[in-house]
Amino acid sequence: MPKRAVLGGGSGFLGTALRSALEADGYEVSIIGRSGPDARWDDPVSVLRVVDGADLIIGLAGKIVNSRFTSANRDEILRSRIDTTRLLSDAIAQSENPPALWMNSSSATVYRYALDRPQTEADTEYDTGFSPDVALAWEEEFFRAELPGTRRVALRITIVLGDGPATTILFRLARFGLGGPQIDGWWFPHRRYRGIGPHPTDPRSPLGVRSKGRQKFSWIHIDDLVDGIRFIRDTPALHGPVNLSAPTQTDNRTLMATLRRIVRMPFGMPAWRFMLEPAMWVLRTEPELVLKSRWVAPQVLMDAGYRFRYDELEPALRDLHRRSVSDRGA
């Protein structure tokens, strides 16, 4: 019998990459989605059918956070993560042959705004407000049930550089001369980042931290995300939260300068918060995605012996730029 893996939400670029990798490793892959194809989130019986007897479960489901934090979007971002995780948990608990390993997406936004040092899995000084509340509630649901036969790993993922929207937007900004640093500053108070979930918290950091474009940018190349998940699968000692982030991080100014260098654009117009806020309103997304300082270190992976393919930003971005140029030529 072939090994079986289940992807809970596999339609995005992360899910597509993981499905290809798992099939290359000899797995028969089933996808749970809103409309299937193998099971549906609104049909718990179908979820149990694909989970029972599977070797590996990877939960990826949840509304994209690259959106405006309206009340409706905030509720859906939280609900979509909690409900799908609970469905997987219940299915595993009811399985006659539960999976040996369940990895579930989480987010490195749990960590505080950091300019002083990187945050590892040992750091528990978490940030507060909407995004951290969502990630911590997600992990609380993930670890809630007693599942003695299933090893669980929460994947605290940073920004993934690959064939996805974040990378596409960054290259586009640099190509059109808009690749200067994004600089925080004062803006009118608002409540979009207020807390949510079972343990809502007030945002600790006020709007407008004057980091002068030096806010940290934590990232991981898509190949290392896939290989890191393979490494976790093959390392039984790993459990609990694991940071999926490159070992060397950069800041926003360096990121944008690197992008300009790769696309051979000699200048890039900087953008202050007073420019970003109305622009992000038009684009229906949030400035915190580029203004929050995320400084995350993959201590668990490094201690376990994982070797990154891309541990420096510029080679990672050059590889992805080369791939995009090749795809356009094809």
Side-chain angles (χ1 to χ4, degrees), residues 81-100:
R81 286 157 172 75
I82 300 300
D83 288 358
T84 53
T85 300
R86 182 176 296 132
L87 277 166
L88 290 175
S89 181
D90 291 346
I92 292 171
Q94 296 168 33
S95 293
E96 293 184 10
N97 297 290

Side-chain angles (χ1 to χ4, degrees), residues 127-296:
D127 209 344
T128 56
F130 174 67
S131 295
D133 283 356
V134 168
L136 290 170
W138 199 3
E139 290 189 9
E140 182 178 359
E141 181 61 36
F142 177 53
F143 290 113
R144 171 185 57 84
E146 291 291 332
L147 303 174
T150 302
R151 175 166 61 104
R152 281 173 282 184
V153 178
L155 306 172
R156 289 181 175 172
I157 302 173
T158 54
I159 293 175
V160 181
L161 299 180
D163 187 21
T167 312
T168 300
I169 291 171
L170 288 171
F171 273 115
R172 187 174 298 159
L173 288 173
R175 194 173 292 114
F176 292 129
L178 302 175
Q182 287 93 41
I183 303 171
D184 209 345
W186 181 86
W187 188 249
F188 301 99
H190 62 73
R191 295 281 292 159
R192 298 195 307 277
Y193 302 159
R194 66 190 183 278
I196 197 172
H199 313 290
T201 59
D202 290 326
R204 181 182 298 120
S205 301
L207 293 176
V209 176
R210 298 189 180 278
S211 58
K212 300 180 181 179
R214 295 297 182 187
Q215 64 269 22
K216 293 295 183 178
F217 176 77
S218 291
W219 58 278
I220 187 169
H221 190 288
I222 182 64
D223 290 352
D224 276 314
L225 178 82
V226 171
D227 285 351
I229 287 174
R230 281 168 159 158
F231 182 83
I232 293 167
R233 176 196 64 193
D234 299 336
T235 310
L238 297 184
H239 59 89
V242 175
N243 293 341
L244 285 171
S245 176
T248 56
Q249 303 301 327
T250 187
D251 61 25
N252 181 266
R253 283 185 177 273
T254 304
L255 164 69
M256 301 313 294
T258 304
L259 288 164
R260 295 196 305 270
R261 188 161 54 247
I262 291 171
V263 300
R264 299 181 180 179
M265 174 57 68
F267 65 90
M269 186 174 70
W272 285 265
R273 182 182 278 274
F274 75 86
M275 301 163 65
L276 286 169
E277 287 282 356
M280 295 296 192
W281 179 82
V282 171
L283 295 172
R284 309 311 297 163
T285 187
E286 289 292 339
E288 80 157 14
L289 298 175
V290 295
L291 293 178
K292 181 177 177 179
S293 186
R294 297 176 176 89
W295 195 354
V296 182

Side-chain angles (χ1 to χ4, degrees), residues 4 6 32 38-41 43-54 57 87-99:
R4 289 206 302 116
V6 176
I32 308 172
D38 303 301
R40 299 195 321 270
W41 292 118
D43 182 6
V45 173
S46 70
V47 174
L48 175 58
R49 184 181 66 249
V50 297
V51 166
D52 195 355
I57 310 291
L87 277 166
L88 290 175
S89 181
D90 291 346
I92 292 171
Q94 296 168 33
S95 293
E96 293 184 10
N97 297 290

